[in-house]
Short mmCIF file of all heavy atoms in Angstrom, two decimals:
data_model
loop_
_atom_site.label_atom_id
_atom_site.label_comp_id
_atom_site.label_asym_id
_atom_site.label_seq_id
_atom_site.Cartn_x
_atom_site.Cartn_y
_atom_site.Cartn_z
N ARG A 13 117.99 12.32 179.12
CA ARG A 13 116.73 12.93 179.65
C ARG A 13 116.09 12.07 180.73
O ARG A 13 115.72 12.61 181.88
CB ARG A 13 115.69 13.02 178.48
CG ARG A 13 114.27 13.39 178.83
CD ARG A 13 114.19 14.74 179.66
NE ARG A 13 114.98 15.71 178.95
CZ ARG A 13 115.24 16.91 179.42
NH1 ARG A 13 114.94 17.24 180.66
NH2 ARG A 13 115.93 17.85 178.72
N VAL A 14 116.25 10.73 180.65
CA VAL A 14 115.54 9.84 181.77
C VAL A 14 116.34 10.17 183.01
O VAL A 14 115.62 10.03 184.03
CB VAL A 14 115.60 8.43 181.23
CG1 VAL A 14 117.10 7.96 181.11
CG2 VAL A 14 114.90 7.48 182.23
N HIS A 15 117.54 10.34 183.04
CA HIS A 15 118.33 10.59 184.33
C HIS A 15 117.97 11.94 184.94
O HIS A 15 117.85 12.14 186.20
CB HIS A 15 119.75 10.41 184.26
CG HIS A 15 120.17 8.92 183.78
ND1 HIS A 15 119.88 7.93 184.66
CD2 HIS A 15 120.81 8.47 182.66
CE1 HIS A 15 120.38 6.78 184.08
NE2 HIS A 15 120.85 7.11 182.88
N ILE A 16 117.77 12.89 184.01
CA ILE A 16 117.48 14.27 184.47
C ILE A 16 116.11 14.22 185.21
O ILE A 16 115.83 14.77 186.36
CB ILE A 16 117.44 15.22 183.35
CG1 ILE A 16 118.85 15.43 182.80
CG2 ILE A 16 116.79 16.64 183.74
CD1 ILE A 16 118.91 16.32 181.48
N GLU A 17 115.18 13.58 184.62
CA GLU A 17 113.78 13.46 185.22
C GLU A 17 113.78 12.66 186.34
O GLU A 17 113.10 12.85 187.37
CB GLU A 17 112.81 12.91 184.15
CG GLU A 17 112.63 13.78 182.97
CD GLU A 17 112.24 15.28 183.28
OE1 GLU A 17 111.53 15.38 184.32
OE2 GLU A 17 112.75 16.22 182.67
N ASN A 18 114.72 11.46 186.51
CA ASN A 18 114.73 10.65 187.66
C ASN A 18 115.21 11.36 188.79
O ASN A 18 114.64 11.25 189.74
CB ASN A 18 115.65 9.58 187.27
CG ASN A 18 115.37 8.26 187.97
OD1 ASN A 18 114.20 7.89 188.08
ND2 ASN A 18 116.42 7.53 188.39
N LEU A 19 116.27 12.23 188.64
CA LEU A 19 116.95 12.88 189.65
C LEU A 19 115.98 14.14 190.11
O LEU A 19 116.02 14.59 191.26
CB LEU A 19 118.31 13.34 189.34
CG LEU A 19 119.19 12.20 189.50
CD1 LEU A 19 120.62 12.48 188.86
CD2 LEU A 19 119.46 11.65 190.90
N ALA A 20 115.22 14.62 189.09
CA ALA A 20 114.17 15.69 189.53
C ALA A 20 113.25 15.19 190.46
O ALA A 20 112.86 15.76 191.60
CB ALA A 20 113.64 16.21 188.27
N LYS A 21 112.71 13.91 190.27
CA LYS A 21 111.74 13.13 191.08
C LYS A 21 112.36 12.98 192.46
O LYS A 21 111.82 13.17 193.57
CB LYS A 21 111.37 11.91 190.54
CG LYS A 21 110.37 12.07 189.34
CD LYS A 21 110.01 10.82 188.67
CE LYS A 21 109.28 10.91 187.45
NZ LYS A 21 109.06 9.60 186.73
N TYR A 22 113.62 12.53 192.48
CA TYR A 22 114.46 12.42 193.76
C TYR A 22 114.41 13.66 194.54
O TYR A 22 114.15 13.63 195.69
CB TYR A 22 115.85 11.92 193.35
CG TYR A 22 116.81 12.09 194.52
CD1 TYR A 22 116.83 11.29 195.62
CD2 TYR A 22 117.75 13.15 194.42
CE1 TYR A 22 117.68 11.57 196.63
CE2 TYR A 22 118.75 13.37 195.41
CZ TYR A 22 118.68 12.51 196.55
OH TYR A 22 119.57 12.83 197.54
N GLY A 23 114.82 14.82 193.88
CA GLY A 23 114.79 16.13 194.62
C GLY A 23 113.59 16.45 195.10
O GLY A 23 113.37 16.99 196.32
N ARG A 24 112.44 16.25 194.45
CA ARG A 24 111.13 16.56 194.92
C ARG A 24 110.75 15.79 196.27
O ARG A 24 110.23 16.22 197.28
CB ARG A 24 109.93 16.25 193.86
CG ARG A 24 108.62 16.51 194.35
CD ARG A 24 108.25 18.11 194.33
NE ARG A 24 108.33 18.60 193.06
CZ ARG A 24 107.71 19.74 192.72
NH1 ARG A 24 106.99 20.37 193.61
NH2 ARG A 24 107.77 20.26 191.56
N LEU A 25 111.12 14.46 196.15
CA LEU A 25 111.07 13.60 197.37
C LEU A 25 111.82 14.09 198.53
O LEU A 25 111.34 14.08 199.61
CB LEU A 25 111.12 12.10 197.03
CG LEU A 25 110.13 11.40 196.03
CD1 LEU A 25 110.77 10.05 195.59
CD2 LEU A 25 108.84 11.26 196.67
N LEU A 26 113.00 14.36 198.21
CA LEU A 26 113.93 14.86 199.25
C LEU A 26 113.43 16.16 199.92
O LEU A 26 113.51 16.33 201.08
CB LEU A 26 115.30 15.12 198.60
CG LEU A 26 116.43 15.43 199.66
CD1 LEU A 26 116.57 14.25 200.70
CD2 LEU A 26 117.72 15.71 198.92
N GLY A 27 112.91 17.02 199.03
CA GLY A 27 112.29 18.36 199.50
C GLY A 27 111.16 18.09 200.52
O GLY A 27 110.98 18.82 201.42
N ASN A 28 110.36 17.14 200.12
CA ASN A 28 109.24 16.76 201.07
C ASN A 28 109.72 16.39 202.42
O ASN A 28 109.30 16.80 203.39
CB ASN A 28 108.45 15.61 200.54
CG ASN A 28 107.32 15.96 199.48
OD1 ASN A 28 106.17 16.35 199.85
ND2 ASN A 28 107.72 16.13 198.24
N ILE A 29 110.87 15.52 202.50
CA ILE A 29 111.42 15.10 203.64
C ILE A 29 111.92 16.30 204.48
O ILE A 29 111.81 16.45 205.71
CB ILE A 29 112.49 14.03 203.38
CG1 ILE A 29 111.78 12.68 202.91
CG2 ILE A 29 113.39 13.78 204.63
CD1 ILE A 29 112.74 11.59 202.51
N PHE A 30 112.69 17.25 203.76
CA PHE A 30 113.26 18.35 204.45
C PHE A 30 112.14 19.08 205.16
O PHE A 30 112.31 19.50 206.43
CB PHE A 30 113.92 19.28 203.35
CG PHE A 30 115.24 18.77 202.89
CD1 PHE A 30 115.88 19.44 201.84
CD2 PHE A 30 115.96 17.67 203.46
CE1 PHE A 30 117.03 18.98 201.29
CE2 PHE A 30 117.21 17.23 202.99
CZ PHE A 30 117.73 17.97 201.88
N LEU A 31 111.08 19.41 204.41
CA LEU A 31 110.20 20.24 204.93
C LEU A 31 109.21 19.57 206.04
O LEU A 31 108.86 20.24 207.10
CB LEU A 31 108.96 20.64 203.72
CG LEU A 31 109.60 21.44 202.73
CD1 LEU A 31 108.80 21.59 201.43
CD2 LEU A 31 109.60 22.93 203.30
N LEU A 32 109.11 18.26 206.06
CA LEU A 32 108.35 17.49 207.03
C LEU A 32 109.18 17.41 208.30
O LEU A 32 108.69 17.46 209.39
CB LEU A 32 107.86 16.17 206.61
CG LEU A 32 106.75 16.10 205.60
CD1 LEU A 32 106.48 14.70 205.09
CD2 LEU A 32 105.54 16.73 206.22
N TYR A 33 110.56 17.38 208.09
CA TYR A 33 111.39 17.37 209.23
C TYR A 33 111.43 18.68 210.01
O TYR A 33 111.40 18.77 211.29
CB TYR A 33 112.90 17.15 208.86
CG TYR A 33 113.83 17.03 209.92
CD1 TYR A 33 113.88 16.04 210.84
CD2 TYR A 33 114.67 18.08 210.26
CE1 TYR A 33 114.78 15.91 211.87
CE2 TYR A 33 115.62 18.14 211.31
CZ TYR A 33 115.57 17.03 212.20
OH TYR A 33 116.45 16.98 213.24
N GLU A 34 111.23 19.82 209.25
CA GLU A 34 111.06 21.21 209.92
C GLU A 34 109.76 21.16 210.65
O GLU A 34 109.70 21.84 211.77
CB GLU A 34 110.88 22.30 208.85
CG GLU A 34 112.34 22.48 208.16
CD GLU A 34 112.15 23.63 207.00
OE1 GLU A 34 111.11 24.38 207.03
OE2 GLU A 34 113.06 23.76 206.25
N ASP A 35 108.72 20.53 210.20
CA ASP A 35 107.42 20.37 211.16
C ASP A 35 107.84 19.77 212.39
O ASP A 35 107.40 20.14 213.62
CB ASP A 35 106.48 19.48 210.34
CG ASP A 35 105.55 20.24 209.45
OD1 ASP A 35 105.80 21.40 209.29
OD2 ASP A 35 104.54 19.75 209.11
N TYR A 36 108.63 18.67 212.44
CA TYR A 36 108.95 17.92 213.55
C TYR A 36 109.80 18.80 214.55
O TYR A 36 109.51 18.91 215.71
CB TYR A 36 109.82 16.66 213.20
CG TYR A 36 110.51 16.02 214.35
CD1 TYR A 36 109.81 15.22 215.37
CD2 TYR A 36 111.90 16.10 214.56
CE1 TYR A 36 110.44 14.60 216.35
CE2 TYR A 36 112.58 15.58 215.68
CZ TYR A 36 111.78 14.82 216.52
OH TYR A 36 112.40 14.20 217.59
N VAL A 37 110.70 19.52 213.96
CA VAL A 37 111.59 20.39 214.80
C VAL A 37 110.75 21.54 215.38
O VAL A 37 110.89 21.83 216.65
CB VAL A 37 112.73 21.07 213.91
CG1 VAL A 37 113.35 22.19 214.63
CG2 VAL A 37 113.70 20.00 213.39
N ASP A 38 109.81 22.05 214.62
CA ASP A 38 108.87 23.11 215.28
C ASP A 38 108.04 22.54 216.40
O ASP A 38 107.87 23.30 217.38
CB ASP A 38 108.06 23.58 214.09
CG ASP A 38 108.68 24.49 213.21
OD1 ASP A 38 109.98 24.94 213.52
OD2 ASP A 38 108.18 24.98 212.21
N VAL A 39 107.61 21.29 216.28
CA VAL A 39 106.78 20.73 217.43
C VAL A 39 107.58 20.48 218.61
O VAL A 39 107.08 20.66 219.73
CB VAL A 39 106.09 19.37 216.86
CG1 VAL A 39 105.69 18.57 218.10
CG2 VAL A 39 104.99 19.66 215.79
N MET A 40 108.86 20.15 218.51
CA MET A 40 109.67 19.91 219.64
C MET A 40 110.18 21.15 220.23
O MET A 40 110.65 21.18 221.36
CB MET A 40 110.94 19.10 219.14
CG MET A 40 110.56 17.74 218.52
SD MET A 40 109.50 16.68 219.57
CE MET A 40 110.70 16.32 220.92
N ASP A 41 109.92 22.35 219.65
CA ASP A 41 110.34 23.67 220.30
C ASP A 41 108.96 24.28 220.56
O ASP A 41 108.19 24.79 219.59
CB ASP A 41 111.05 24.51 219.34
CG ASP A 41 111.56 25.77 219.66
OD1 ASP A 41 110.79 26.39 220.58
OD2 ASP A 41 112.65 26.26 219.49
N ILE A 42 108.59 24.46 221.83
CA ILE A 42 107.26 25.06 222.18
C ILE A 42 107.04 26.48 221.62
O ILE A 42 105.96 26.70 221.10
CB ILE A 42 107.06 25.03 223.65
CG1 ILE A 42 106.92 23.57 224.21
CG2 ILE A 42 106.02 25.98 224.10
CD1 ILE A 42 106.68 23.41 225.69
N LYS A 43 108.05 27.31 221.70
CA LYS A 43 107.90 28.59 221.13
C LYS A 43 107.62 28.66 219.53
O LYS A 43 106.74 29.37 219.14
CB LYS A 43 109.13 29.40 221.43
CG LYS A 43 109.31 29.92 222.81
CD LYS A 43 110.48 30.86 223.02
CE LYS A 43 110.65 31.21 224.53
NZ LYS A 43 111.78 32.18 224.58
N GLU A 44 108.29 27.77 218.81
CA GLU A 44 108.09 27.66 217.41
C GLU A 44 106.60 27.08 217.19
O GLU A 44 105.97 27.47 216.18
CB GLU A 44 108.98 26.72 216.81
CG GLU A 44 110.42 27.43 216.66
CD GLU A 44 110.49 28.57 215.84
OE1 GLU A 44 109.79 28.66 214.84
OE2 GLU A 44 111.27 29.43 216.12
N MET A 45 106.21 26.05 218.03
CA MET A 45 104.91 25.51 217.80
C MET A 45 103.83 26.54 217.99
O MET A 45 102.72 26.55 217.26
CB MET A 45 104.70 24.31 218.68
CG MET A 45 103.43 23.56 218.57
SD MET A 45 103.31 21.99 219.41
CE MET A 45 102.98 22.67 221.08
N LEU A 46 103.99 27.30 219.06
CA LEU A 46 102.98 28.45 219.38
C LEU A 46 103.02 29.51 218.15
O LEU A 46 101.88 29.85 217.76
CB LEU A 46 103.25 29.15 220.71
CG LEU A 46 102.45 30.23 221.08
CD1 LEU A 46 100.90 29.77 221.31
CD2 LEU A 46 102.91 30.97 222.35
N HIS A 47 104.14 29.74 217.56
CA HIS A 47 104.20 30.65 216.43
C HIS A 47 103.44 30.03 215.21
O HIS A 47 102.66 30.67 214.66
CB HIS A 47 105.55 30.98 216.02
CG HIS A 47 105.61 31.97 214.85
ND1 HIS A 47 105.53 33.30 214.93
CD2 HIS A 47 105.76 31.70 213.51
CE1 HIS A 47 105.76 33.89 213.85
NE2 HIS A 47 105.79 32.86 212.94
N ARG A 48 103.56 28.70 215.09
CA ARG A 48 102.87 28.10 213.92
C ARG A 48 101.41 28.11 214.17
O ARG A 48 100.60 28.34 213.11
CB ARG A 48 103.38 26.55 213.87
CG ARG A 48 104.66 26.37 213.41
CD ARG A 48 104.91 26.54 211.93
NE ARG A 48 104.18 25.53 211.24
CZ ARG A 48 104.61 24.46 210.70
NH1 ARG A 48 105.96 24.12 210.99
NH2 ARG A 48 103.85 23.51 210.04
N LEU A 49 100.93 27.97 215.43
CA LEU A 49 99.45 28.00 215.66
C LEU A 49 98.92 29.41 215.47
O LEU A 49 97.75 29.52 215.01
CB LEU A 49 99.26 27.65 217.15
CG LEU A 49 99.66 26.16 217.58
CD1 LEU A 49 99.30 26.05 219.05
CD2 LEU A 49 98.83 25.20 216.78
N ARG A 50 99.68 30.51 215.74
CA ARG A 50 99.12 31.84 215.67
C ARG A 50 99.37 32.53 214.26
O ARG A 50 98.63 33.32 213.86
CB ARG A 50 99.92 32.57 216.77
CG ARG A 50 99.25 32.30 218.13
CD ARG A 50 100.11 33.04 219.17
NE ARG A 50 99.29 32.83 220.47
CZ ARG A 50 99.82 33.43 221.57
NH1 ARG A 50 100.80 34.23 221.60
NH2 ARG A 50 99.21 33.20 222.79
N LYS A 51 100.56 32.21 213.61
CA LYS A 51 100.90 32.92 212.45
C LYS A 51 100.88 32.13 211.09
O LYS A 51 101.01 32.64 209.99
CB LYS A 51 102.20 33.66 212.63
CG LYS A 51 102.30 34.55 213.89
CD LYS A 51 101.52 35.86 213.64
CE LYS A 51 101.66 36.73 214.85
NZ LYS A 51 100.83 37.94 214.65
N GLU A 52 101.03 30.78 211.23
CA GLU A 52 101.21 29.89 210.14
C GLU A 52 100.14 28.92 210.07
O GLU A 52 99.01 29.19 210.46
CB GLU A 52 102.60 29.27 210.12
CG GLU A 52 103.75 30.37 210.16
CD GLU A 52 105.20 29.66 210.11
OE1 GLU A 52 105.24 28.90 209.22
OE2 GLU A 52 105.87 30.04 211.00
N HIS A 53 100.40 27.76 209.61
CA HIS A 53 99.49 26.52 209.48
C HIS A 53 99.95 25.47 210.51
O HIS A 53 101.25 25.47 210.85
CB HIS A 53 99.38 26.04 208.07
CG HIS A 53 100.69 25.62 207.54
ND1 HIS A 53 101.26 24.26 207.83
CD2 HIS A 53 101.40 26.13 206.56
CE1 HIS A 53 102.37 24.24 207.07
NE2 HIS A 53 102.53 25.20 206.33
N LEU A 54 99.18 24.58 210.85
CA LEU A 54 99.54 23.61 211.79
C LEU A 54 100.56 22.64 211.12
O LEU A 54 100.56 22.30 210.02
CB LEU A 54 98.26 22.65 211.98
CG LEU A 54 97.05 23.38 212.78
CD1 LEU A 54 96.06 22.38 213.12
CD2 LEU A 54 97.41 24.17 213.97
N PRO A 55 101.50 22.09 212.00
CA PRO A 55 102.41 21.10 211.55
C PRO A 55 101.66 19.83 211.35
O PRO A 55 100.67 19.57 211.97
CB PRO A 55 103.50 21.07 212.67
CG PRO A 55 102.88 21.59 213.90
CD PRO A 55 101.81 22.59 213.34
N LEU A 56 102.33 18.87 210.58
CA LEU A 56 101.56 17.55 210.26
C LEU A 56 101.26 16.78 211.49
O LEU A 56 100.27 16.19 211.60
CB LEU A 56 102.41 16.71 209.29
CG LEU A 56 101.89 15.42 208.93
CD1 LEU A 56 100.58 15.53 208.26
CD2 LEU A 56 102.82 14.64 207.96
N LEU A 57 102.22 16.76 212.44
CA LEU A 57 102.00 15.98 213.63
C LEU A 57 100.70 16.52 214.43
O LEU A 57 100.02 15.66 214.95
CB LEU A 57 103.19 16.13 214.62
CG LEU A 57 104.35 15.28 214.22
CD1 LEU A 57 105.68 15.69 214.88
CD2 LEU A 57 104.25 13.78 214.54
#
């Protein structure tokens, strides 16, 4: 059980990184950034 919970926590942290990287990619693409401003929420940057 300890390893299952440990790797679950690892997955959660990794998921955070994946999603924040998408934020970065969207900011580097002007069209994506404009879409975020109009249809979604602001990226972290």
